[in-house]
Amino acid sequence: MGTRPPMAPREIFHIYNRGTEKRKIFLERKDYERFLALLYLSNSDSSVHISNQRGLTLTDLLELERGQALVDIGAYCLMPNHFHLLIHQKVEGGISKFMQKLVTGYTMYFNLKHQRNGALFQGRFKSRHAGEDRYLKYLLSYIHLNPAQYTKYPYSSYADFIGKTRPHGKILNKESIPLYFESPEQFIEELKEWSTYQTEYQGSTLMQ
């Protein structure tokens, strides 16, 4: 088995994974909302005890103090059987620490809620360095292509990129990635262009 290349601080990475055997990892609204809350709360140098916060809404959880962030999340998308994150690593080992807390916390929640055991995700998370402008700009479009088909889809950062104001915005630090789009209209137009033709960066290569 090969080893993962080191992920340097102050670099941007595409992080993704899917459910084991391509099974769904989100079965209902509360599952998506728990993962969103963990995107925010797991991004901390402090311990996370979200199980102690029963009865709180997603908006409530996004208002909790969390300590110093390990990474900057520039974009994200949750789909029924997989997720994509675009992450800027702030500190040495930040992505690994963040992902361990995120995946462990969500797996424990999901298995307890849906009465199952064992691994939820298909091995360890996958990562690709997004060091080139062309590739990074493509990723911003690729991550949002599916949600863009549903203008009210709440489980991605699409709404944040088209200028919507919502509590979910606390998950992101869009300033951590290059601002390739001068306006929400330009961002939407870019997505339309990517959806009409294929490029050398096929989506299939991003989820291997």
Side-chain angles (χ1 to χ4, degrees), residues 35-128:
F35 197 92
L36 290 174
L38 286 170
L39 281 180
Y40 176 72
L41 293 172
S42 297
N43 186 13
S44 169
D45 59 358
S46 302
S47 298
V48 175
H49 300 289
I50 195 170
S51 60
N52 298 333
Q53 308 295 338
R54 293 180 180 178
L56 297 185
T57 65
L58 174 59
T59 299
D60 294 332
L61 292 170
L62 293 175
E63 292 295 330
L64 295 176
E65 293 295 328
R66 63 173 182 178
Q68 295 296 316
L70 298 168
V71 301
D72 294 313
I73 300 176
Y76 66 88
C77 177
L78 315 183
M79 300 303 290
N81 72 345
H82 66 276
F83 66 83
H84 295 277
L85 307 173
L86 195 57
I87 292 180
H88 169 258
Q89 181 160 246
K90 294 170 67 84
V91 299
E92 186 76 34
I95 289 178
S96 294
K97 293 175 184 177
F98 164 64
M99 290 303 299
Q100 181 180 23
K101 293 167 70 174
L102 173 67
V103 170
T104 299
Y106 185 72
T107 299
M108 291 176 62
Y109 154 82
F110 188 92
N111 283 354
L112 180 62
K113 180 176 178 60
H114 298 291
Q115 300 182 346
R116 68 180 299 277
N117 296 299
L120 178 61
F121 294 97
Q122 186 174 284
R124 198 178 176 204
F125 68 89
K126 315 303 186 295
S127 66
R128 293 188 67 176

Side-chain angles (χ1 to χ4, degrees), residues 145 188-199:
L145 279 177
I188 292 171
E189 188 61 31
E190 183 78 8
L191 292 190
K192 289 180 180 178
E193 291 182 10
W194 277 111
S195 66
T196 57
Y197 62 92
Q198 294 182 341
T199 70

Side-chain angles (χ1 to χ4, degrees), residues 11-15 39 43 66 71-77 84-90 95 98 136 139-141 143-144 156-162 166 168-181 187:
E11 294 291 331
I12 299 173
F13 297 87
H14 175 210
I15 306 296
L39 281 180
N43 186 13
R66 63 173 182 178
V71 301
D72 294 313
I73 300 176
Y76 66 88
C77 177
H84 295 277
L85 307 173
L86 195 57
I87 292 180
H88 169 258
Q89 181 160 246
K90 294 170 67 84
I95 289 178
F98 164 64
L136 182 53
L139 278 175
L140 281 171
S141 297
I143 287 173
H144 293 111
S156 84
S157 50
Y158 174 76
D160 305 285
F161 275 83
I162 63 171
R166 58 180 188 156
H168 304 54
K170 292 193 70 174
I171 296 170
L172 297 177
N173 180 2
K174 292 191 294 182
E175 295 180 357
S176 66
I177 57 177
L179 298 178
Y180 296 111
F181 312 104
F187 175 69

Side-chain angles (χ1 to χ4, degrees), residues 146-169:
N146 283 333
Q149 301 175 25
Y150 313 98
T151 56
K152 295 184 180 180
Y153 189 75
Y155 310 125
S156 84
S157 50
Y158 174 76
D160 305 285
F161 275 83
I162 63 171
K164 301 292 185 181
T165 300
R166 58 180 188 156
H168 304 54

